[in-house]
Amino acid sequence: MATINLGSIKFRWKGTYAGGTAYTVDDVVEYNGSSYICILASTGNLPTDTTYFEQMSSAGTNGTNGTNGTDVGTTITTQGDILYRDGSGLQRLGAGTSGQFLKTLGTGANPTWADLSAGIKQIKFASSTGTTQYTTNSSSFVDVGANYQLTITPTSTSNRILLYTQFADQGSGGRTYYNFNKSGDSSDNGDLIANGGWANVENIMNSGNGYTSGMMVDNTISSTNALTYKLRFKNASSVNTSVNVADSISFMMAIELDGGLF
């Protein structure tokens, strides 16, 4: 009767590969987190040599030690951590502060936590409802008066300051110009609009009172120092112009706007 060699009837687990061990067909070894089966008897040939071994399984990405894949548990260590990949490998993004959201910065950049933009960061308000009038006949810009100035401290140099004012004025002739002035910044101090200001009003003698309002955005915030803004005016003909007349409701506002709106 002919003899039939059935060979091995099961795999033989040999543990971690050792260079000095002789391996025979159907021996199975572990090497760098993956498993290999011997297909040709040999000694000293690495399991990655496909002449002698075939790979049965590969190392995963959630192993328990440095040789069995990548243990993400050593990368994210704290409740709230987020796992992401940067240009070189897996990285940890620790939990942000309460109320923040996860913000992508696009392809080639890492995610980050960011604050929700409320649009308006803060408002400063100055009003004048009395009968005190502020008058000038200067042909160069001068401060209107104490009730038409305020101070605001920006929370970020990327934000903007929206300035708005409303007042009743009266002139005895000529054209009156209005401007906003800034001080306290590391640069860009002085009148915000050169020469003509943000408004000019033709005053006709004995014509009564009128309301003037003006608004502009200061986009030259160079520091987070306290900034003082003042309303200023001048009369081109060097005749009297008055602001806050007839017990009018007059005011000036400074509103810090989030830079992301622009």
Side-chain angles (χ1 to χ4, degrees), residues 102-120:
L102 186 62
K103 181 179 181 180
T104 176
L105 300 178
T107 302
N110 299 328
T112 186
W113 294 109
D115 294 318
L116 288 172
S117 173
I120 294 177

Side-chain angles (χ1 to χ4, degrees), residues 120-143:
I120 294 177
K121 296 298 185 181
Q122 59 175 318
I123 300 175
K124 297 297 182 180
F125 187 87
S127 63
S128 179
T129 57
T131 57
T132 300
Q133 294 186 12
Y134 302 93
T135 302
T136 190
N137 59 11
S138 172
S139 59
S140 301
F141 280 118
V142 295
D143 298 345

Side-chain angles (χ1 to χ4, degrees), residues 29-257:
V29 297
E30 179 275 331
Y31 181 72
N32 286 345
S34 299
S35 59
Y36 299 83
I37 184 171
C38 180
I39 59 174
L40 180 63
S42 72
T43 302
N45 294 297
L46 290 175
T48 52
D49 188 332
T50 57
T51 299
Y52 302 97
F53 290 89
E54 285 185 354
Q55 188 173 15
M56 298 181 66
S57 64
S58 61
T61 59
N62 193 24
T64 58
N65 57 62
T67 60
N68 290 335
T70 301
D71 182 7
V72 298
T74 63
T75 304
I76 52 175
T77 59
T78 307
Q79 182 177 359
D81 286 352
I82 290 179
L83 185 71
Y84 73 94
R85 180 183 176 84
D86 66 4
S88 59
L90 298 179
Q91 303 296 337
R92 168 185 178 266
L93 178 62
T97 59
S98 178
Q100 288 187 313
F101 68 97
L102 186 62
K103 181 179 181 180
T104 176
L105 300 178
T107 302
N110 299 328
T112 186
W113 294 109
D115 294 318
L116 288 172
S117 173
I120 294 177
K121 296 298 185 181
Q122 59 175 318
I123 300 175
K124 297 297 182 180
F125 187 87
S127 63
S128 179
T129 57
T131 57
T132 300
Q133 294 186 12
Y134 302 93
T135 302
T136 190
N137 59 11
S138 172
S139 59
S140 301
F141 280 118
V142 295
D143 298 345
V144 171
N147 290 324
Y148 292 92
Q149 70 178 54
L150 46 74
T151 298
I152 186 170
T153 303
T155 59
S156 171
T157 57
S158 64
N159 293 342
R160 305 290 185 265
I161 304 297
L162 172 65
L163 300 169
Y164 180 76
T165 186
Q166 175 184 292
F167 51 85
D169 58 354
Q170 182 183 63
S172 57
R175 186 174 295 275
T176 301
Y177 296 82
Y178 295 96
N179 210 339
F180 289 119
N181 179 274
K182 177 175 69 173
S183 61
D185 212 339
S186 57
S187 62
D188 303 310
N189 292 316
D191 293 331
L192 297 181
I193 299 180
N195 302 320
W198 50 259
N200 63 85
V201 179
E202 184 71 29
N203 298 298
I204 302 175
M205 191 179 302
N206 301 321
S207 64
N209 307 321
Y211 265 99
T212 297
S213 60
M215 179 172 63
M216 69 169 295
V217 174
D218 179 13
N219 58 6
T220 58
I221 309 302
S222 302
S223 69
T224 54
N225 296 334
L227 304 177
T228 298
Y229 292 95
K230 299 178 181 180
L231 178 66
R232 288 158 61 81
F233 61 165
K234 68 179 180 179
N235 187 286
S237 301
S238 297
V239 296
N240 284 343
T241 293
S242 297
V243 165
N244 195 47
V245 298
D247 198 18
S248 59
I249 299 176
S250 304
F251 61 87
M252 179 175 170
M253 300 174 63
I255 306 172
E256 183 181 5
L257 301 176

